[in-house]
Amino acid sequence: QSHCLRFAQLYQPSGNFAHQRMEQLDPFETMRFHMPVVCVVLSNLRGRNRWDSTVLGPFIRKCQDLKPSFGADACRYLAREMQEHIISNLSAGVASVYDPLHSWLDAILESCDLIEEEAKEVYQKVTAVEVGLRLGHDLITQVSWKIPTEKELKEAILCHIKGKKPGLAVNE
């Protein structure tokens, strides 16, 4: 049932905050922490064999070594590798295990694409804010913000009211 909740999370454009954190699909966390546990449990259920030590073990190590990155390519690679080379042996050909696991990996692959899209949007927004902050900093630090005295300000206002150019009413 939790797999269905995770998969449904992808089809909620505004998100559903009623879901607990564990029900949200984070492909990096799933592939790094949860998928190794799933692999060990499934291999125990079907019985251990040589394939576990030669193929599954190194794959689990790769999953555990997955680090957060700017892109989702490493996570996407692991999910595809698992779909193509791991789940058929891991599930021992049992459709009730193979099909949900394959579907879960499809959802992980899709979430990788969605996370990258969202990361690009966030990057663009942050970049715009950063440019604004730099311009604001440059404006504050490079412009002389000398405030005229009260007398100089009054003279400039009176000149403006009389239609005269204040000239150098404000001393520099």
Side-chain angles (χ1 to χ4, degrees), residues 51 81-93 97-99 101-103 105:
W51 180 85
E81 180 181 354
M82 187 167 182
Q83 276 187 330
E84 295 169 4
H85 305 292
I86 303 294
I87 62 173
S88 59
N89 285 324
L90 187 62
S91 66
V97 175
Y98 180 90
D99 292 340
L101 190 53
H102 196 277
S103 177
L105 290 166

Coordinates of all heavy atoms in Angstrom, one line a residue, residues 51 81-93 97-99 101-103 105:
W51 N 24.8 -15.8 -7.2 CA 24.5 -14.6 -7.9 C 24.4 -13.4 -6.8 O 24.8 -12.3 -7.1 CB 23.1 -14.7 -8.6 CG 22.7 -13.5 -9.3 CD1 23.0 -13.1 -10.5 CD2 21.8 -12.5 -8.8 NE1 22.4 -11.9 -10.9 CE2 21.7 -11.5 -9.8 CE3 21.1 -12.3 -7.6 CZ2 20.9 -10.4 -9.6 CZ3 20.3 -11.2 -7.4 CH2 20.2 -10.2 -8.4
E81 N 19.8 0.1 -13.9 CA 20.5 -1.1 -13.7 C 19.7 -2.1 -13.0 O 19.7 -3.3 -13.3 CB 21.9 -0.8 -13.0 CG 22.7 -2.0 -12.8 CD 24.0 -1.7 -12.0 OE1 24.3 -0.6 -11.7 OE2 24.7 -2.7 -11.7
M82 N 19.0 -1.7 -12.0 CA 18.2 -2.6 -11.2 C 17.1 -3.2 -12.0 O 16.8 -4.4 -12.0 CB 17.7 -1.9 -9.9 CG 17.0 -2.9 -9.0 SD 16.7 -2.1 -7.4 CE 15.9 -3.5 -6.6
Q83 N 16.5 -2.3 -12.8 CA 15.4 -2.8 -13.7 C 15.9 -3.9 -14.7 O 15.3 -4.9 -15.0 CB 14.7 -1.7 -14.4 CG 13.7 -1.0 -13.7 CD 12.9 0.1 -14.5 OE1 13.5 0.6 -15.4 NE2 11.7 0.3 -14.2
E84 N 17.1 -3.6 -15.3 CA 17.6 -4.4 -16.4 C 18.3 -5.6 -15.9 O 18.3 -6.7 -16.6 CB 18.5 -3.5 -17.3 CG 17.7 -2.4 -18.0 CD 18.6 -1.4 -18.7 OE1 19.9 -1.6 -18.7 OE2 18.1 -0.4 -19.2
H85 N 19.0 -5.6 -14.8 CA 19.9 -6.7 -14.4 C 19.6 -7.3 -13.1 O 20.2 -8.3 -12.8 CB 21.4 -6.2 -14.5 CG 21.8 -5.6 -15.8 ND1 21.9 -6.3 -16.9 CD2 22.1 -4.3 -16.1 CE1 22.3 -5.5 -17.9 NE2 22.4 -4.3 -17.4
I86 N 18.8 -6.7 -12.2 CA 18.7 -7.2 -10.9 C 17.4 -7.8 -10.6 O 17.3 -8.9 -10.0 CB 19.0 -6.0 -9.9 CG1 20.4 -5.4 -10.1 CG2 18.8 -6.5 -8.4 CD1 21.5 -6.3 -9.8
I87 N 16.3 -7.1 -10.9 CA 15.0 -7.6 -10.4 C 14.5 -8.9 -10.9 O 13.8 -9.6 -10.1 CB 13.9 -6.5 -10.5 CG1 13.6 -6.1 -11.9 CG2 14.2 -5.3 -9.7 CD1 12.4 -5.2 -12.1
S88 N 14.9 -9.3 -12.1 CA 14.4 -10.6 -12.5 C 14.9 -11.7 -11.7 O 14.2 -12.7 -11.3 CB 14.7 -10.8 -14.0 OG 16.1 -10.7 -14.2
N89 N 16.2 -11.7 -11.4 CA 16.8 -12.7 -10.5 C 16.4 -12.5 -9.0 O 16.2 -13.5 -8.3 CB 18.4 -12.7 -10.6 CG 18.9 -13.3 -11.9 OD1 18.3 -14.2 -12.4 ND2 19.9 -12.7 -12.4
L90 N 16.3 -11.3 -8.6 CA 15.9 -11.0 -7.2 C 14.5 -11.5 -6.9 O 14.3 -12.0 -5.8 CB 16.1 -9.5 -7.0 CG 15.9 -9.0 -5.5 CD1 17.0 -9.6 -4.6 CD2 15.9 -7.5 -5.5
S91 N 13.6 -11.3 -7.8 CA 12.2 -11.7 -7.6 C 12.0 -13.2 -7.9 O 10.9 -13.7 -7.7 CB 11.3 -10.9 -8.5 OG 11.5 -11.1 -9.8
A92 N 13.0 -13.9 -8.5 CA 12.9 -15.3 -8.9 C 11.8 -15.5 -9.8 O 11.2 -16.6 -9.8 CB 12.8 -16.2 -7.6
G93 N 11.5 -14.5 -10.6 CA 10.4 -14.7 -11.7 C 9.0 -14.6 -11.1 O 8.1 -14.9 -11.9
V97 N 6.0 -10.1 -7.1 CA 7.2 -9.4 -6.6 C 7.8 -8.5 -7.7 O 8.1 -7.3 -7.5 CB 8.3 -10.4 -6.0 CG1 9.5 -9.6 -5.6 CG2 7.7 -11.2 -4.9
Y98 N 7.9 -9.1 -8.9 CA 8.6 -8.4 -10.0 C 7.8 -7.2 -10.4 O 8.4 -6.1 -10.6 CB 8.7 -9.4 -11.2 CG 9.3 -8.7 -12.4 CD1 10.7 -8.8 -12.6 CD2 8.6 -8.1 -13.4 CE1 11.3 -8.2 -13.7 CE2 9.2 -7.5 -14.5 CZ 10.5 -7.5 -14.6 OH 11.1 -6.9 -15.7
D99 N 6.5 -7.3 -10.6 CA 5.7 -6.2 -11.2 C 5.7 -5.0 -10.2 O 5.9 -3.8 -10.7 CB 4.3 -6.6 -11.5 CG 4.2 -7.6 -12.6 OD1 5.2 -7.7 -13.4 OD2 3.2 -8.4 -12.7
L101 N 7.8 -4.1 -7.9 CA 9.2 -3.6 -7.8 C 9.6 -2.8 -9.1 O 10.2 -1.7 -9.1 CB 10.2 -4.7 -7.6 CG 11.6 -4.3 -7.2 CD1 11.7 -3.4 -6.1 CD2 12.4 -5.6 -6.9
H102 N 9.2 -3.4 -10.3 CA 9.4 -2.7 -11.5 C 8.7 -1.4 -11.6 O 9.2 -0.3 -12.0 CB 9.0 -3.6 -12.7 CG 9.6 -3.2 -14.0 ND1 9.0 -2.2 -14.8 CD2 10.7 -3.6 -14.7 CE1 9.7 -2.0 -15.9 NE2 10.8 -2.9 -15.8
S103 N 7.4 -1.4 -11.1 CA 6.6 -0.2 -11.1 C 7.2 0.9 -10.2 O 7.2 2.1 -10.5 CB 5.2 -0.5 -10.7 OG 4.4 0.6 -10.6
L105 N 10.4 1.2 -9.4 CA 11.6 1.7 -10.1 C 11.1 2.7 -11.2 O 11.8 3.7 -11.5 CB 12.4 0.6 -10.6 CG 13.1 -0.2 -9.6 CD1 13.7 -1.5 -10.1 CD2 14.2 0.6 -8.9

